[in-house]
Amino acid sequence: MKVSVREDGSALSHAPDNWHAVDWRRVERNVRGMQIRIAKATRESNWRRVKALQRMLTRTLSAKLYAVRRVTQNQGARTAGVDRELWDSPESRRQAVNRLTAYGYKPLPLRRAFIPKANGKERPLGIPTMRDRAMQALYLLALEPVSESTSDPNSYGFRLNRSTADAMSQIFLLLCREKSSQWVLEADIKGCFDYINHDWLENHVPMDRAILRKWLKAGLIYKGQLQATEAGTPQGGIISPTLANVTLNGLERELIAHFDAKFGIAKAKKLKVNVVRYADDFVITGDSKELLESEVRPWVEAFLAVRGLQLSEEKTRITHIDDGFDFLGWNFRKYSGKLLIKPSKKNAQAFYRKVADTISSNKTVKQEGLIRLLNPMLRGWAQYHSPVVAKQAYSRMEYLVFQRLWRWSKRRHPQKNAEWVKRKYFHSIGDRQWVFAAPIVQEGGSNGLFELYQISGTAIKRHKKMKGEFHPFDPTWEQYGEQLRQERQWESMRYRKQWATLYMSQGGLCAHCNCALTDETGWHDHHLEYRMHGGTDALSNRVLLHPHCHQQVHTGNIVVTKPVLS
């Protein structure tokens, strides 16, 4: 029996007795209904109503269930905080819901961790406990509609349904024409997450100030020592990217308004000042180098200073479009007046080092195992660059990877000649020669080949840019957002044709809970009749489920049926 939850969360005042009995479709609908009301009040600048609705949402059972599910399904679900607690069972998740209350809440310090960056340095992370993560996810549900309503139209980082490809497409539109801006200010904020002023956040972030202050002042533990946090919002917290976006919101709108007021709307338009931002990286176009140096950069520095931030001297520069600039892993440059966007050399080099390290650190694994490690990396890199001029970069990368794999193959058999090594590890498939592939036994006993992903076979396709005014919490944009989400999900699956077919046949919804399948939720391929019971791999016997739904189906012996679209 499914657990029903009213829109105001009053049907149940505590967590359900059975975690698997929650009606997640109803939960999502209740939360979204409240978020739409918050967004509407924000657009009307009715801040008293915004605050009241936010308070109401964070106290509803639906929001608490949604928050616990989010932090127990994402990639960090297996990473514990300083208390070493994980919510890895239905019972622990059910009990966690009742702990999400502001009364008496005191967050624990963050656990300090470091992850490597592309430039060889390390990025510091602050990992909250599971309870603190769930509290952040809960309050993020109330903050996100306000953040989306007040965001700049060309801000693309850490926002629903927006991506780096959208930012790239916007830059192309700004620079592709003959009379477009010729100069670009490439800007990078120095340690954005580490230096945001706490007082500014408390006074300007539209959420419960007491809760926010507790998170900001929670401190962190590194090498057994408690360290105070006097500034910044830690990378690693679920709400941190949105706090950073709220901090930088207005960079575009206020800059344009400043020029309109100073020069007049007509003259300001001729200066061609435009902003495209992704997280804490942004570019600003301008009609001349002097304009960017004397007018734009000082204004940006003053805008950031109020928030406790400053530009990075080593990464901030003014560039002519004929010389080109790098942004989000791409190089933007005009060749004889034609704008071409290509994978940047820095991005390609970093990716090659990653592939080379993977190959060199797996010298003794079976060929099939190495291919399984490499294929997601190769496919991901190739798909990321598929909207730009990347064929030459694809061919170059494929050649470099081939050289590494040839050395890997020869090293395993030092006593064998090159012809023997070639026959064992490289095969001919169709008109392609020297394909790195491992023999496998397919269903029915026939032999097949499990091949390395072909980078150069990735199709180049222009990205369909998200409309700048799109609002995910405005019902008038509902159909547009749903259509775009399905199109993009189809694109991410199109190299796995069977998954793409299943996704479209299910309308982009999980066959068990009828909630959306996204990159964030992930998906599992489920056989309706298990293979051990004689089921086949035919599409008629398979459906896509959320990972947690898949686990629930197996542990509860739940029968799933093939969905029929109306």
Side-chain angles (χ1 to χ4, degrees), residues 127-411:
I127 303 173
T129 63
M130 291 297 295
R131 185 192 179 194
D132 294 336
R133 268 179 262 176
M135 285 291 285
Q136 289 188 17
L138 177 63
Y139 280 84
L140 178 59
L141 291 174
L143 175 61
E144 214 164 25
V146 184
S147 172
E148 284 290 338
S149 302
T150 56
S151 289
D152 293 324
N154 291 303
S155 163
Y156 297 97
F158 306 123
R159 294 182 62 191
L160 295 172
N161 296 321
R162 297 183 183 233
S163 65
T164 54
D166 289 311
M168 175 271 296
S169 299
Q170 178 63 20
I171 294 175
F172 179 84
L173 292 175
L174 294 175
L175 299 176
C176 66
R177 298 178 180 82
E178 183 179 350
K179 295 184 179 180
S180 297
S181 306
Q182 298 297 305
W183 292 91
V184 175
L185 170 65
E186 309 169 58
D188 181 86
I189 301 173
K190 183 178 180 181
C192 178
F193 285 88
D194 299 325
Y195 297 110
I196 299 176
N197 184 279
H198 283 181
D199 291 335
W200 191 94
L201 285 173
E202 291 177 33
N203 292 326
H204 292 86
V205 175
M207 65 168 287
D208 189 309
R209 292 180 62 179
I211 295 291
L212 177 59
R213 183 171 181 79
K214 288 179 180 180
W215 289 334
L216 296 176
K217 302 298 183 183
L220 57 89
I221 292 180
Y222 180 56
K223 294 183 178 180
Q225 300 293 320
L226 177 63
Q227 301 176 3
T229 47
E230 300 299 334
T233 173
Q235 296 186 64
I238 288 179
I239 203 170
S240 294
T242 302
L243 292 180
N245 265 343
V246 172
T247 303
L248 297 175
N249 280 344
L251 178 64
E252 178 183 359
R253 282 196 174 100
E254 291 181 25
L255 177 61
I256 301 301
H258 166 75
F259 275 85
D260 287 346
K262 184 172 182 178
F263 299 102
I265 296 177
K267 185 176 181 181
K269 191 173 182 180
K270 294 179 181 179
L271 298 177
K272 302 172 185 175
V273 176
N274 295 282
V275 182
V276 178
R277 179 170 67 84
Y278 188 90
D280 59 337
D281 295 330
F282 58 92
V283 296
I284 302 178
T285 65
D287 195 43
S288 68
K289 184 176 182 180
E290 293 72 23
L291 173 72
L292 295 176
E293 282 181 342
S294 61
E295 292 286 346
V296 174
R297 179 163 181 167
W299 186 93
V300 170
E301 290 174 341
F303 175 89
L304 296 177
V306 175
R307 294 153 174 79
L309 302 173
Q310 59 182 358
L311 293 175
S312 170
E313 291 296 334
E314 59 183 21
K315 295 182 180 179
T316 301
R317 60 183 66 88
I318 297 174
T319 311
H320 194 276
I321 190 60
D322 289 344
D323 297 324
F325 65 94
D326 291 347
F327 188 62
L328 302 176
W330 293 298
N331 178 261
F332 299 76
R333 183 180 175 184
K334 275 190 174 180
Y335 298 82
S336 301
K338 183 176 182 179
L339 179 66
L340 296 182
I341 306 173
K342 302 179 181 180
S344 69
K345 291 182 179 179
K346 184 179 178 181
N347 176 273
Q349 290 169 355
F351 176 71
Y352 173 67
R353 285 197 300 270
K354 181 180 178 181
V355 173
D357 290 344
T358 301
I359 295 173
S360 62
S361 60
N362 289 277
K363 295 183 176 71
T364 59
V365 301
K366 292 183 178 180
Q367 184 184 16
E368 181 182 345
L370 181 63
I371 294 175
R372 292 192 186 280
L373 287 173
L374 293 178
N375 273 359
M377 298 166 57
L378 300 177
R379 183 184 293 110
W381 185 79
Q383 289 185 10
Y384 182 81
H385 294 295
S386 61
V388 303
V389 183
K391 280 297 184 183
Q392 186 176 357
Y394 285 168
S395 298
R396 174 64 177 168
M397 186 61 65
E398 201 162 65
Y399 172 71
L400 293 174
V401 173
F402 165 77
Q403 285 187 317
R404 279 283 177 173
L405 292 173
W406 177 246
R407 290 200 291 270
W408 179 90
S409 304
K410 289 182 66 178
R411 180 189 177 280

Side-chain angles (χ1 to χ4, degrees), residues 498-518:
Q498 292 189 344
W499 283 358
T501 302
L502 289 173
Y503 177 84
M504 296 304 291
S505 70
Q506 295 174 205
L509 303 177
C510 171
H512 176 59
C513 70
N514 286 324
C515 295
L517 294 164
T518 65

Side-chain angles (χ1 to χ4, degrees), residues 4-9 25-35 57 62:
S4 297
V5 185
R6 292 179 187 170
E7 288 190 9
D8 62 357
R25 181 74 166 175
R26 185 73 175 271
V27 165
E28 286 193 7
R29 187 162 61 244
N30 292 344
V31 170
R32 180 163 178 80
M34 289 291 293
Q35 290 178 316
L57 176 59
S62 289

Side-chain angles (χ1 to χ4, degrees), residues 334-552:
K334 275 190 174 180
Y335 298 82
S336 301
K338 183 176 182 179
L339 179 66
L340 296 182
I341 306 173
K342 302 179 181 180
S344 69
K345 291 182 179 179
K346 184 179 178 181
N347 176 273
Q349 290 169 355
F351 176 71
Y352 173 67
R353 285 197 300 270
K354 181 180 178 181
V355 173
D357 290 344
T358 301
I359 295 173
S360 62
S361 60
N362 289 277
K363 295 183 176 71
T364 59
V365 301
K366 292 183 178 180
Q367 184 184 16
E368 181 182 345
L370 181 63
I371 294 175
R372 292 192 186 280
L373 287 173
L374 293 178
N375 273 359
M377 298 166 57
L378 300 177
R379 183 184 293 110
W381 185 79
Q383 289 185 10
Y384 182 81
H385 294 295
S386 61
V388 303
V389 183
K391 280 297 184 183
Q392 186 176 357
Y394 285 168
S395 298
R396 174 64 177 168
M397 186 61 65
E398 201 162 65
Y399 172 71
L400 293 174
V401 173
F402 165 77
Q403 285 187 317
R404 279 283 177 173
L405 292 173
W406 177 246
R407 290 200 291 270
W408 179 90
S409 304
K410 289 182 66 178
R411 180 189 177 280
R412 295 164 69 90
H413 307 280
Q415 306 301 321
K416 300 293 186 179
N417 60 35
E419 183 61 30
W420 187 93
V421 173
K422 176 182 180 295
R423 286 198 306 271
K424 181 171 178 62
Y425 293 104
F426 297 86
H427 304 268
S428 297
I429 300 178
D431 58 353
R432 296 166 55 209
Q433 308 295 320
W434 289 84
V435 178
F436 190 72
I440 56 172
V441 178
Q442 297 177 327
E443 190 174 352
S446 61
N447 292 328
L449 290 173
F450 179 49
E451 63 182 278
L452 188 74
Y453 179 79
Q454 184 188 10
I455 298 177
S456 61
T458 306
I460 301 297
K461 184 176 180 180
R462 172 95 29 116
H463 177 76
K464 183 178 180 180
K465 179 185 171 295
M466 167 74 67
K467 293 182 179 179
E469 59 272 22
F470 169 75
H471 196 310
F473 301 108
D474 185 344
T476 60
W477 287 95
E478 182 76 26
Q479 185 176 357
Y480 172 82
E482 183 65 21
Q483 181 182 355
L484 199 65
R485 182 184 67 81
Q486 290 200 21
E487 288 177 358
R488 292 187 174 183
Q489 197 67 26
W490 169 269
E491 285 297 314
S492 70
M493 288 180 168
R494 64 191 170 105
Y495 296 102
R496 309 164 198 178
K497 294 180 181 178
Q498 292 189 344
W499 283 358
T501 302
L502 289 173
Y503 177 84
M504 296 304 291
S505 70
Q506 295 174 205
L509 303 177
C510 171
H512 176 59
C513 70
N514 286 324
C515 295
L517 294 164
T518 65
D519 285 331
E520 182 181 2
T521 64
W523 59 85
H524 282 178
D525 193 340
H526 173 70
H527 288 72
L528 300 176
E529 183 180 1
Y530 298 165
R531 281 178 290 185
M532 66 177 65
H533 296 158
T536 69
D537 282 328
L539 292 180
S540 59
N541 189 47
R542 291 156 58 192
V543 291
L544 296 181
L545 306 175
H546 290 127
H548 68 283
C549 290
H550 197 199
Q551 181 185 16
Q552 180 180 340

